[in-house]
Amino acid sequence: MSRLAIFASGYGSNFQAIVNAVKNNALPAEVVLLVCDKEGAKVIEKANKENISTFVTSPKSFESKKHYEEAILEALQEQQVDWLILAGYMRLVGETLLRAYEGKIVNIHPSLLPSFPGKDAIGQAFEAKVKITGVTVHFVDEGMDTGPIIDQEAIRIEHHDTYESLQVKIQSIEHSLYPNTIKKLVAGGNHS
Ligand code: GRF
């Protein structure tokens, strides 16, 4: 069974959705570690409740990104992690992890990439007044939301939508799309 580490910095609704999918036997994998770069993030409480190990560390306490990622890598190797699942991890993955986990790092982004990469993709879509936006799951490379796309789902922005209602719709898509995509990835099938 594939061993997953989830990387998150914030609330952790995607973390919870993935853990729930595992618990409901909808995702044949094991979530063995939460990697979090923000002390006090809500996602840490969620991991504790689920008895999932956490590796919480601030990059600021390391002299370089390389040292920070080497510490993470050690924790990943200790847990024999196969896949890195980014879910609201608010930093770019560096060379150390990219090299160690080539082709095994994925991210979810709340827009139809390549539109609206970076921060506040929902706000960017709303401001741009586009009629369709969505969610993308993609492989992670050194860029900001630039790696090869694995899966996408579109949603229509209705005239009555607010930022909040759009966010609710996006998140509900994320919570089913991400576990489903991970399921295909760990099964090693054709996921194009
Ligand atoms: C999600 O919208 C995800 O697409 C983006 O960050 C958000 C994380 O939300 N990368 P949560 O912490 O999983 O609730």
Side-chain angles (χ1 to χ4, degrees):
M1 194 118 79
S2 289
R3 296 168 69 80
L4 316 179
I6 300 180
F7 283 53
S9 308
Y11 186 70
S13 69
N14 282 283
F15 170 88
Q16 192 67 58
I18 294 163
V19 169
N20 291 348
V22 168
K23 290 206 290 192
N24 298 333
N25 297 318
L27 172 58
E30 214 180 323
V31 178
V32 295
L33 188 66
L34 166 72
V35 175
C36 180
D37 60 334
K38 283 241 164 62
E39 271 169 45
K42 286 272 181 227
V43 67
I44 301 166
E45 291 168 30
K46 293 184 169 67
N48 289 338
K49 237 189 214 156
E50 300 289 346
N51 283 317
I52 292 169
S53 302
T54 58
F55 186 79
V56 183
T57 187
S58 165
K60 284 190 203 123
S61 49
F62 294 88
E63 60 179 273
S64 69
K65 182 158 190 155
K66 184 169 180 284
H67 286 87
Y68 164 68
E69 289 201 338
E70 278 169 358
I72 295 175
L73 186 56
E74 207 172 294
L76 296 172
Q77 285 170 343
E78 209 169 281
Q79 293 282 355
Q80 296 177 303
V81 167
D82 301 304
W83 289 88
L84 312 193
I85 309 295
L86 274 50
Y89 180 63
M90 300 302 282
R91 52 191 69 248
L92 287 177
V93 175
E95 232 180 86
T96 306
L97 291 178
L98 284 172
R99 223 184 293 131
Y101 280 91
E102 206 190 332
K104 298 277 189 172
I105 312 178
V106 296
N107 180 43
I108 188 159
H109 185 77
S111 75
L112 291 179
L113 290 171
S115 290
F116 312 130
K119 281 196 181 144
D120 194 19
I122 297 175
Q124 290 185 55
F126 204 67
E127 286 288 303
K129 299 192 170 23
V130 292
K131 299 297 174 202
I132 292 180
T133 185
V135 174
T136 302
V137 180
H138 64 94
F139 287 110
V140 171
D141 63 11
E142 62 289 341
M144 171 98 77
D145 305 318
T146 49
I149 291 169
I150 305 165
D151 210 350
Q152 292 186 304
E153 203 168 316
I155 60 160
R156 182 165 284 280
I157 304 180
E158 306 290 352
H159 68 277
H160 52 76
D161 268 323
T162 60
Y163 182 97
E164 287 72 27
S165 68
L166 182 55
Q167 190 172 34
V168 169
K169 284 196 223 172
I170 294 250
Q171 283 182 346
S172 107
I173 289 175
E174 288 188 337
H175 299 163
S176 63
L177 181 69
Y178 212 8
N180 279 331
T181 308
I182 296 166
K183 183 180 175 181
K184 290 182 218 160
L185 285 171
V186 300
N190 180 3
H191 31 75
S192 58

